[in-house]
């Protein structure tokens, strides 16, 4: 059923069930709301990359979006799309960007730290197709760059990792060595695929340049070719104490992280 017909049916059904409590103002509000959803949904194109889309229906509802906004994860003028369980994670849109909730549960805020943003600019993969372990690795590497190895670059990372697609065109960082550069980053995160939301591109920094469609293949060494100094920089990271190379749920204080870290964790974990 076309979305504009579905919205009309929903309005009619609601009005028929509760005519005694419907005010003219509420009728007007519902008309505008459903019309917005119907027209707006037409800006989405299905990519059909999810293997089991029926198991990945969005569970990040309006209350979660409100909590995320209150956490300081985005600038105040950011426009969020209302919760709509009919919109899939792998849609493409020139007006909206899909974000996973997972990185914000770690205390990140948007725009993400420059080192992390550079990773996504270079690889071209979408935030929504990025698996949790990638966010963990990038957070630790960003801290290492800030504290221990200021000249660390994205093009150094293919020395230690390959980008590998892991089902439904989602990507993880696969270690090229039996001794991973970043430790304890591969733990599974149940249900992360169902926690996502959409933000209007023209309301956020770099929104217009963020990927519209998911990639299905990426050769890390081709998009980020290592330089002659890359191996030495990676070896410098390897020489750091294990504690400095280990992912933990604690996010160090930084202007790049949300000032309300616990709020971010709560909205993610309570679902």
């Amino acid at each position: 059923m076309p979305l504009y017909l579905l919205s009309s049916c929903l309005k009619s059904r609601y009005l028929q069930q509760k005519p005694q409590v419907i005010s003219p103002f509420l009728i007007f509000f519902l008309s505008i709301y459903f019309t917005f959803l119907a027209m707006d949904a037409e800006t989405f194109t299905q990519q059909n990359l999810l293997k089991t889309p029926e198991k990945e229906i969005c569970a990040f509802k309006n209350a979660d979006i409100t909590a995320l906004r209150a956490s300081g994860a985005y600038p105040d003028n950011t426009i969020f799309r209302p919760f709509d369980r009919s919109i899939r994670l792998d849609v493409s849109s020139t007006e909206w960007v899909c974000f996973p909730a997972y990185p914000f549960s770690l205390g990140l805020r948007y725009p993400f730290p420059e080192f992390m943003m550079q990773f996504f600019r270079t690889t071209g993969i979408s935030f929504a197709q990025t698996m949790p372990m990638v966010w963990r690795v990038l957070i630790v590497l960003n801290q290492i760059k800030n504290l221990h190895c200021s000249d660390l670059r994205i093009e150094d990372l293919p020395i230690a990792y390959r980008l590998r697609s892991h089902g439904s065109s989602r990507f993880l960082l696969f270690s090229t060595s039996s001794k991973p550069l970043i430790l304890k980053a591969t733990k599974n995160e149940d249900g992360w695929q169902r926690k996502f939301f959409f933000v209007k591109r023209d309301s956020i920094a770099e929104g217009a340049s963020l990927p519209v469609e998911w990639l299905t293949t990426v050769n890390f060494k081709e998009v980020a070719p290592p330089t002659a100094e890359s191996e030495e920089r990676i070896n410098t990271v390897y020489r750091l104490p294990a504690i400095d190379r280990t992912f933990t749920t604690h996010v160090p204080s930084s202007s790049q992280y949300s000032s309300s870290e616990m709020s971010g964790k709560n909205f993610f974990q309570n679902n």
Side-chain angles (χ1 to χ4, degrees):
M1 178 184 292
L3 282 171
Y4 71 90
L5 289 179
L6 176 60
S7 67
S8 297
C9 290
L10 287 173
K11 285 188 289 184
S12 299
R13 182 177 179 184
Y14 186 80
L15 295 176
Q16 289 169 2
Q17 286 181 346
K18 297 187 177 182
Q20 70 280 11
V21 297
I22 302 298
S23 69
F25 175 78
L26 185 55
I27 292 175
F28 174 77
F29 173 79
L30 288 172
S31 297
I32 295 297
Y33 177 74
F34 282 110
T35 300
F36 165 77
L37 288 183
M39 293 177 62
D40 182 64
E42 295 175 0
T43 69
F44 292 98
T45 301
Q46 299 289 351
Q47 296 184 80
N48 298 314
L49 297 174
L50 302 181
K51 292 183 177 180
T52 56
E54 69 281 357
K55 295 182 180 179
E56 300 188 24
I57 296 173
C58 185
F60 202 75
K61 301 182 180 180
N62 287 329
D64 303 305
I65 294 173
T66 299
L68 178 66
R69 184 192 294 272
S71 74
Y74 282 86
D76 292 339
N77 60 347
T78 301
I79 299 174
F80 293 82
R81 191 178 191 278
F83 166 72
D84 183 350
R85 72 190 308 271
S86 69
I87 305 299
R88 287 171 34 168
L89 175 70
D90 63 336
V91 295
S92 64
S93 173
T94 58
E95 294 186 31
W96 300 92
V97 181
C98 184
F99 281 86
Y102 182 72
F104 301 99
S105 75
L106 301 177
L108 288 172
R109 67 182 185 185
Y110 190 86
F112 300 126
E114 176 58 25
F115 182 77
M116 300 177 71
M117 292 294 289
Q118 187 59 43
F119 170 84
F120 289 102
R121 294 189 201 107
T122 301
T123 62
I125 65 176
S126 300
F127 299 138
Q129 66 178 139
T130 305
M131 297 187 70
M133 72 85 61
V134 178
W135 295 103
R136 297 174 189 141
V137 168
L138 291 177
I139 281 178
V140 178
L141 287 174
N142 183 64
Q143 289 301 121
I144 288 174
K145 179 178 176 63
N146 290 338
L147 300 175
H148 306 290
C149 187
S150 61
D151 56 349
L152 185 67
R153 301 176 182 177
I154 297 299
E155 55 264 38
D156 301 335
L157 303 190
I159 298 293
Y161 290 103
R162 294 197 304 270
L163 267 171
R164 174 180 290 185
S165 178
H166 184 73
S168 296
S169 296
R170 292 188 174 96
F171 285 91
L172 55 77
L173 287 168
F174 186 80
S175 178
T176 59
S177 169
S178 59
K179 297 180 179 180
L181 183 66
I182 304 304
L183 307 174
K184 296 186 178 181
T186 58
K187 176 185 175 183
N188 188 36
E189 188 71 36
D190 293 335
W192 69 272
Q193 304 96 324
R194 298 187 62 203
K195 298 181 175 69
F196 60 91
F197 57 93
F198 293 87
V199 168
K200 202 164 184 61
R201 288 180 180 273
D202 60 11
S203 71
I204 58 173
E206 299 192 34
S209 61
L210 293 175
V212 172
E213 297 181 340
W214 286 19
L215 296 182
T216 55
T217 59
V218 181
N219 186 313
F220 205 6
K221 280 192 173 181
E222 287 185 1
V223 299
T227 66
E229 296 79 21
S230 291
E231 188 166 356
E232 177 54 34
R233 286 194 286 263
I234 291 298
N235 287 336
T236 297
V237 176
Y238 265 118
R239 287 193 289 268
L240 292 173
I243 191 172
D244 292 328
R245 298 188 293 113
T246 300
F247 171 79
T248 67
T249 55
H250 171 68
V251 179
S253 176
S254 168
S255 61
Q256 290 287 350
Y257 297 103
S258 171
S259 60
S260 185
E261 177 187 348
M262 289 308 299
S263 177
K265 289 184 177 182
N266 288 339
F267 72 71
F268 185 83
Q269 294 174 351
N270 289 342
N271 285 288

